[in-house]
């Protein structure tokens, strides 16, 4: 009989924590011989710090944060690793009603590039009038939220470090700060864009998908020490989460109802489900976002820890002058343990034969050679200047 292994997992209450909820509620943790204690946290920095001192054994973490922590950027240097991506997509850019109406008045059209043109004009007008710069919030400096927002600002011809003021706020506080007028907009994961839009606090003008299609988001982080000392528990954790992520994609509505419970997220089910039922109004026209713009929990190899994603994110850190590393490929391989993922779930799914996606971007679905069959992948383009 398999011995039960105890694992403590810290997490941020967000929609993309759904695989944790499913693994607990549907019994996948127990089925893999795990007794898991899930501990909520309310800021990314405190979640990271609890992982570093061993108060939790694992935690879904912002992918760039895992890399930054392993480099010692802005914190104690501690080598971390991931062998599991929690999914792709899920972020949005939401702005205050005042900024929204300003963009509507100045945008030549409804596209993300048109909104970028309008934002450039607004920022220039505020500077000419001597007004304070726009204040835009992200969840952490090393995050895909920050890089998606920075990329859109760059498409607008703006310098994110000089033309606007970027601040860091916990995800759950974004909507209140927007409603109180402390910030002019934010880039955050769900359900906070939907909550702002459906309560009138703001307007979600962009999905993260419109900036980077099928972008990675959170990864399951562990210290390399813990992974080496507890290989069986780590492997069981990867298997349980893979099975839960597949379950979440296949039975989404049922799973979202679990997430709405006060013990997990405590946000109304209709708010959590809005992006998946095309009830989240978007852009300048209010046309609902397509469902595929938001969370994908397992499809398109969403759980594979692509080393090419790690290398891209390391490049973003360098692009925005946060840090520099010469040997991106070697460092990515140390942090993104595709070997452990393959070992854990190889009997459950097709696996790509390579650890890196090719450099060229794709406008539609595409394939890579896989074992035992080819793997299906989704669009992966970045927003470009028109």
């Amino acid at each position: 009989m398999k011995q039960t292994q105890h694992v403590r997992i810290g997490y941020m209450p967000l929609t993309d924590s759904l695989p944790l909820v499913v693994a607990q509620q549907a019994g996948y943790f127990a089925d893999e011989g795990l007794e898991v204690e899930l501990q909520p946290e309310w800021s990314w920095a405190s979640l990271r710090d609890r992982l570093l001192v061993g108060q939790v054994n694992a935690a879904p973490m912002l992918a760039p944060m895992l890399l930054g922590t392993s480099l010692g950027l802005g914190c104690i240097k501690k080598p971390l690793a991931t062998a599991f991506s929690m999914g792709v997509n899920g972020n949005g850019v939401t702005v205050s009603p005042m900024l929204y109406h300003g963009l509507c008045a100045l945008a030549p059209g409804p596209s993300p590039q048109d909104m970028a043109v309008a934002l450039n004009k607004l920022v220039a007008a505020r500077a000419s009038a001597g007004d304070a710069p726009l204040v835009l919030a992200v969840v952490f400096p090393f995050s895909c939220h920050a890089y998606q927002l920075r990329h859109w600002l760059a498409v607008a011809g703006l310098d994110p470090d000089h033309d606007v003021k970027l601040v860091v706020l916990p995800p759950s506080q974004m909507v209140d700060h927007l409603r109180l007028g402390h910030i002019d907009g934010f880039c955050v994961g769900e359900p906070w864009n939907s909550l702002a839009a459906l309560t009138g606090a703001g307007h979600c003008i962009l999905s993260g998908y419109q900036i980077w299609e099928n972008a990675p988001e959170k990864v399951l982080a562990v210290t390399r020490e813990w992974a080496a000392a507890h290989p069986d528990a780590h492997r069981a954790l990867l298997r349980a989460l893979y099975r839960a992520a597949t379950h979440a994609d296949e039975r989404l509505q049922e799973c979202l109802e679990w997430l709405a419970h006060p013990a997990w997220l405590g946000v109304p089910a209709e708010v959590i489900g809005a992006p998946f039922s095309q009830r989240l109004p978007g852009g300048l026209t209010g046309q609902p976002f397509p469902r595929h713009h938001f969370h994908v929990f397992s499809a398109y190899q969403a759980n594979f820890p692509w080393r090419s994603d790690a290398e891209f994110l390391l490049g973003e850190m360098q692009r925005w002058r946060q840090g520099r590393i010469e040997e991106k490929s070697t460092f990515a391989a140390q942090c993104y343990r595709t070997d452990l993922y393959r070992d854990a779930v190889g009997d459950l799914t097709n696996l790509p034969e390579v650890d890196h996606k090719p450099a060229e971007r794709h406008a539609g679905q595409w394939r890579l050679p896989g074992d035992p069959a080819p793997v299906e992948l989704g669009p992966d383009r970045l927003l470009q200047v028109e």
Side-chain angles (χ1 to χ4, degrees), residues 183-219:
I183 58 176
D184 299 292
F186 54 68
C187 184
V188 76
E190 281 295 292
W192 310 118
N193 297 287
S194 293
L195 184 65
L198 297 179
T199 60
H203 297 263
C204 187
I205 60 169
L206 285 168
S207 68
Y209 185 94
Q210 291 174 295
I211 301 170
W212 181 4
E213 295 170 335
N214 291 306
E217 249 310 302
K218 315 301 186 301
V219 294

Side-chain angles (χ1 to χ4, degrees), residues 16 60 116 168 191 214 245 248 285 303 312 324:
D16 55 13
V168 172
N214 291 306
T285 63
N303 305 127
F312 177 86
R324 183 181 183 87

Side-chain angles (χ1 to χ4, degrees), residues 147 150-151 154-155 312 314-323:
Y147 299 147
R150 283 174 172 273
H151 185 76
V155 168
F312 177 86
L314 290 167
E316 288 295 280
M317 291 180 186
Q318 183 171 325
R319 176 187 181 186
W320 300 114
R321 301 175 293 279
Q322 294 177 322

Side-chain angles (χ1 to χ4, degrees), residues 77-100:
K77 183 177 180 178
K78 183 83 170 181
L80 303 180
T82 183
F84 190 84
S85 167
M86 299 294 290
V88 299
N89 299 331
N91 296 335
V93 177
T94 293
V95 299
S96 68
M98 183 175 295
L99 181 51
Y100 168 78

Side-chain angles (χ1 to χ4, degrees), residues 36-249:
V36 171
E37 179 184 351
L38 294 171
Q39 300 180 2
E41 192 51 71
W42 302 101
S43 81
W44 286 109
S46 59
L47 179 62
R48 175 201 61 200
D49 294 344
R50 292 184 68 201
L51 179 67
L52 297 189
V53 300
Q55 291 179 356
V56 295
N57 306 124
M61 180 180 283
L62 302 160
M65 177 187 257
L66 180 142
L67 299 168
T69 302
S70 298
L71 289 168
L73 300 179
C75 65
I76 295 169
K77 183 177 180 178
K78 183 83 170 181
L80 303 180
T82 183
F84 190 84
S85 167
M86 299 294 290
V88 299
N89 299 331
N91 296 335
V93 177
T94 293
V95 299
S96 68
M98 183 175 295
L99 181 51
Y100 168 78
H101 291 301
L103 294 173
C104 287
L106 294 173
S111 75
Q113 290 91 342
D114 291 327
M115 286 186 274
V117 169
L119 185 66
N120 185 295
K121 293 178 181 177
L122 274 173
V123 168
R126 290 175 71 96
S128 296
D131 294 336
L134 294 171
V135 179
L136 304 175
V138 295
V139 302
F140 202 73
F142 306 107
S143 66
C144 288
H145 314 70
Y147 299 147
Q148 286 171 333
L149 182 60
R150 283 174 172 273
H151 185 76
W152 182 59
L153 292 171
V155 168
L158 299 172
D159 183 336
D161 293 310
H162 294 95
D163 295 327
V164 299
K165 182 179 180 181
L166 293 182
V167 299
V168 172
L169 292 171
S172 61
Q173 295 181 16
M174 294 282 193
V175 177
D176 286 338
H177 282 290
L178 188 70
R179 184 181 291 111
L180 292 169
H182 299 162
I183 58 176
D184 299 292
F186 54 68
C187 184
V188 76
E190 281 295 292
W192 310 118
N193 297 287
S194 293
L195 184 65
L198 297 179
T199 60
H203 297 263
C204 187
I205 60 169
L206 285 168
S207 68
Y209 185 94
Q210 291 174 295
I211 301 170
W212 181 4
E213 295 170 335
N214 291 306
E217 249 310 302
K218 315 301 186 301
V219 294
L220 183 75
V222 296
T223 65
R224 296 181 202 172
E225 292 173 345
W226 187 86
H230 302 86
D232 293 339
H234 189 209
R235 186 177 188 273
L237 187 54
L238 301 178
R239 289 179 62 83
L241 287 175
Y242 177 81
R243 296 170 66 192
T246 303
H247 182 126
D249 268 351

